Amino acid sequence: MLWKHGIDDGSTGEIPHTGLGILARSIQEEGHEVFIADHHFNPDSRGTMELLERERPALLCVTLVSQEWHFQEVQDLLNIAHQKGIEIWVGGPHAHGYWDILEKDSRFSKIVVGEADGSFGKILNSRDRVIHLPPATVFQAPDFTLMLDHRKMITYPIYTSRGCTHCCSFCVGTRTHGSRWRARPLDEHFWTEIDRIEHHFPNVNKIAVIDDAFTGNLEHAKSFLQEYLRRAYPYQLTIFNVRADQMDLEFLQLVRRTGIESLCIGIESGDPEVFQLVKKGESLQTIRNAIDMMREVGITPWLNMVIGLPGDSPAHHERSLEWVLSIPQPRIVQWLHFAPYRYTWAYEYFVKQGAIQDGFIPGLQSGRYSELPESACFETKDFSLEQKMLAQLRSYLSTLCPLLILNEEKVKKICAEQHWETLFEHWKNNAPIQKFIEGTLPSKVKKGQLAELADTRGQSLRKMQ
Ligand code: B12
């Protein structure tokens, strides 16, 4: 049994876990029976204890993002599986960062660090308890037909490459997938994976390109887009990670031709000092140029910003916000609190500063749109929890984010306390709230991302519709 608990956040119900799909294929190819219970993909199907009881698996393979470690349900399940004598292996991003701590946990019989494509047999036969796998030389396609409720899938994740040559100070991606960018061959096998979607997953209407650095080789990315267009697939594409310094006009025109309306780029901070400590290996000017290029072809830039990175403070954040506000509309801006992951430069920075202790595991910052503004998971001498929360609210209000409507009463209350009434009114009068309620909200409720809201605040929002 391959298991992911998942977290209730804005990505719930969205995408199944590629790593487990790959591991499942590798297990089946070795001649074993396997199934995946991915509760991030399908939160309706929780009830893992019953599943464990019913299926009585010989092996439980758990994948974890660090936040999941804190969930009582995760710990309960691990305890029960262990008590029942079920062998437990753990892998995924959390294992990469915390393997030496997990090694001391007697519940796990194997702690796997690295890519497991085609490696199930190797792991099974290894005498080591902690297994460090080298970056995979063969890329496997995930087999999602082995996942419970797979016919419910609406977004299919595809990858065209692994790894990233950059070493941003906050990112664990290079630890997970290596600092060498590796192309996945865009051969017959690759296109067959997409061709089969229609047959196995009839509800899919979107494909998400989940590469760490989709444009790590621009020609490879363009080849993918050209062939995707030539094959005239009916799925709306969405692309997760592109760098501003790895794009050109031809690439953006191809992106636009697929029907993509907005493209995410990581800026993290618009403050020059904080930006420098992110060590992105590009300049704010390069990012600005890329944004201009996107606008030229009619793509709305989606700017990913982070609050609380090394060197950040309320004053630095204010400069970051000013930088974002200098970019003309239309733009979409996401303001997330920084969560430090072990074995990154930024994590060490805050350990040295005494803000966190080595071994710190970031807890879940609500991640739910209906709870914005949210609390950060740690504070520093320069940026308290309260200041971070206020920085997030101020930023979302100033950049006219309609999501705040989901928590309007709280937002209004904080604005009154901070004497931000004018800012609140400006947001209320100018944010695209109606468009959000009519266009985006229903699909979020359907995916389970706003489950609570559907029961409570949803009623009053429905009245507004
Ligand atoms: C796509 C993606 C998403 C997607 C889809 C995620 C999903 N379905 O689970 C979305 C947008 C929904 C998402 C959400 C989040 N993500 Co995310 N995401 C990624 C991204 C870019 C790629 C993941 C991926 O599919 N990789 C490709 C597959 C092939 O690799 P893999 O999953 O690691 O699996 C391989 C190995 O790790 C191993 N393996 C994995 N599990 C196991 C288990 C066993 C037993 C074994 C033997 C092997 C094994 O074998 C697999 C095959 O080779 C990574 C960045 C990265 N480089 O990993 C971040 C990343 C995984 N995400 C991260 C985070 C923090 C989140 C969120 C918590 C964000 C938030 N809300 O704050 C949520 C959590 C949602 C959840 N999954 O529960 C962090 C995790 C850091 C950490 N230490 O935990 C990463 C590493 C990014 C980062 N910050 O650096 N994410």
Side-chain angles (χ1 to χ4, degrees):
M1 172 170 158
L2 311 190
W3 179 60
K4 170 158 185 66
H5 179 275
I7 59 179
D8 285 340
D9 71 356
S11 62
T12 300
E14 200 85 49
I15 305 179
H17 195 273
T18 306
L20 289 186
I22 289 173
L23 189 61
R25 181 179 294 278
S26 178
I27 295 175
Q28 201 184 43
E29 281 178 357
E30 294 279 335
H32 305 277
E33 270 182 58
V34 57
F35 72 95
I36 307 170
D38 179 345
H39 300 313
H40 188 77
F41 156 68
N42 187 10
D44 295 348
S45 68
R46 294 238 165 101
T48 321
M49 294 294 181
E50 295 84 70
L51 208 55
L52 207 60
E53 202 60 61
R54 202 172 61 230
E55 301 291 337
R56 298 200 164 259
L59 172 65
L60 177 67
C61 285
V62 181
T63 194
L64 288 172
V65 292
S66 295
Q67 284 85 347
E68 289 169 312
W69 184 255
H70 294 290
F71 294 141
Q72 195 52 48
E73 300 97 301
V74 171
Q75 296 304 329
D76 288 348
L77 186 93
L78 293 174
N79 287 336
I80 290 190
H82 182 59
Q83 280 157 20
K84 285 181 183 293
I86 298 171
E87 191 170 325
I88 310 175
W89 297 3
V90 61
H94 186 64
H96 293 272
Y98 299 82
W99 63 267
D100 50 333
I101 297 173
L102 295 170
E103 191 182 9
K104 298 187 189 103
D105 193 324
S106 60
R107 291 174 298 181
F108 304 123
S109 54
K110 291 199 198 280
I111 297 116
V112 182
V113 185
E115 294 173 345
D117 301 47
S119 295
F120 178 73
K122 188 174 161 188
I123 303 168
L124 188 67
N125 296 324
S126 169
R127 286 161 184 260
D128 297 332
R129 213 171 137 249
V130 178
I131 300 168
H132 292 270
L133 296 167
T137 45
V138 180
F139 292 140
Q140 286 195 305
D143 187 345
F144 293 123
T145 61
L146 298 168
M147 182 174 71
L148 301 177
D149 305 311
H150 61 265
R151 289 178 77 85
K152 285 190 176 174
M153 198 194 306
I154 47 172
T155 305
Y156 188 96
I158 194 91
Y159 69 95
T160 72
S161 71
R162 295 254 181 93
C164 174
T165 45
H166 289 273
C167 204
C168 301
S169 66
F170 63 89
C171 181
V172 294
T174 43
R175 279 206 58 88
T176 343
H177 300 294
S179 53
R180 207 161 56 80
W181 184 89
R182 292 159 292 147
R184 180 178 180 192
L186 302 177
D187 54 13
E188 222 181 284
H189 298 292
F190 176 84
W191 295 108
T192 306
E193 185 183 342
I194 301 186
D195 290 342
R196 287 193 178 145
I197 295 176
E198 188 185 5
H199 176 66
H200 293 298
F201 318 105
N203 293 314
V204 165
N205 56 28
K206 202 153 106 185
I207 288 185
V209 180
I210 59 158
D211 301 32
D212 281 328
F214 174 55
T215 46
N217 176 326
L218 204 46
E219 291 315 309
H220 185 73
K222 285 179 193 171
S223 310
F224 165 74
L225 292 171
Q226 274 153 352
E227 184 60 11
Y228 188 85
L229 284 163
R230 196 190 66 76
R231 289 172 172 249
Y233 287 117
Y235 316 110
Q236 176 56 58
L237 266 194
T238 163
I239 299 171
F240 280 8
N241 299 311
V242 288
R243 281 177 57 96
D245 63 349
Q246 292 176 335
M247 60 173 76
D248 64 13
L249 208 54
E250 188 192 2
F251 165 75
L252 290 173
Q253 277 158 345
L254 281 168
V255 168
R256 189 69 194 97
R257 273 180 54 205
T258 68
I260 286 180
E261 287 177 356
S262 83
L263 200 57
C264 282
I265 47 170
I267 298 163
E268 333 311 347
S269 176
D271 172 76
E273 285 169 40
V274 177
F275 182 83
Q276 205 179 9
L277 292 179
V278 179
K279 302 175 189 284
K280 282 182 84 78
E282 62 185 339
S283 68
L284 278 170
Q285 188 54 49
T286 308
I287 294 178
R288 178 61 66 106
N289 296 346
I291 291 172
D292 289 346
M293 233 183 337
M294 282 186 203
R295 295 163 54 78
E296 205 178 313
V297 298
I299 294 176
T300 303
W302 174 307
L303 317 177
N304 280 330
M305 307 303 295
V306 182
I307 300 167
L309 283 160
D312 212 358
S313 69
H316 287 84
H317 176 75
E318 216 35 49
R319 280 198 287 274
S320 179
L321 177 58
E322 269 168 39
W323 189 89
V324 168
L325 289 172
S326 73
I327 292 167
Q329 295 271 23
R331 48 170 152 70
I332 301 166
V333 195
Q334 181 148 14
W335 298 93
L336 296 178
H337 289 302
F338 175 54
Y341 297 110
R342 202 148 167 261
Y343 289 131
T344 60
W345 185 88
Y347 187 96
E348 298 299 323
Y349 173 97
F350 285 119
V351 169
K352 276 191 204 130
Q353 203 189 77
I356 55 172
Q357 284 187 337
D358 185 34
F360 172 81
I361 301 173
L364 189 64
Q365 318 176 56
S366 87
R368 291 188 199 172
Y369 298 134
S370 50
E371 285 169 21
L372 286 173
E374 59 185 352
S375 177
C377 64
F378 76 112
E379 62 184 342
T380 69
K381 60 180 175 35
D382 303 315
F383 220 158
S384 69
L385 289 179
E386 163 94 2
Q387 285 169 329
K388 286 187 187 185
M389 181 275 286
L390 290 174
Q392 190 189 46
L393 177 56
R394 212 175 140 69
S395 306
Y396 271 133
L397 285 167
S398 308
T399 48
L400 302 176
C401 173
L403 287 169
L404 294 176
I405 192 73
L406 303 175
N407 204 9
E408 191 184 349
E409 276 159 44
K410 184 174 167 198
V411 167
K412 199 171 177 180
K413 186 167 167 273
I414 302 173
C415 285
E417 285 161 10
Q418 298 300 318
H419 306 293
W420 291 350
E421 285 88 353
T422 318
L423 182 58
F424 179 82
E425 284 310 314
H426 180 255
W427 165 78
K428 193 80 200 271
N429 294 331
N430 295 287
I433 294 169
Q434 202 54 38
K435 197 171 152 207
F436 169 74
I437 291 171
E438 284 160 14
T440 319
L441 192 64
S443 74
K444 290 200 174 299
V445 172
K446 204 169 152 200
K447 285 178 198 160
Q449 294 169 354
L450 295 167
E452 277 174 27
L453 188 88
D455 301 336
T456 53
R457 287 272 296 132
Q459 283 176 2
S460 49
L461 281 169
R462 269 193 293 275
K463 269 187 224 146
M464 288 171 69
Q465 283 181 46

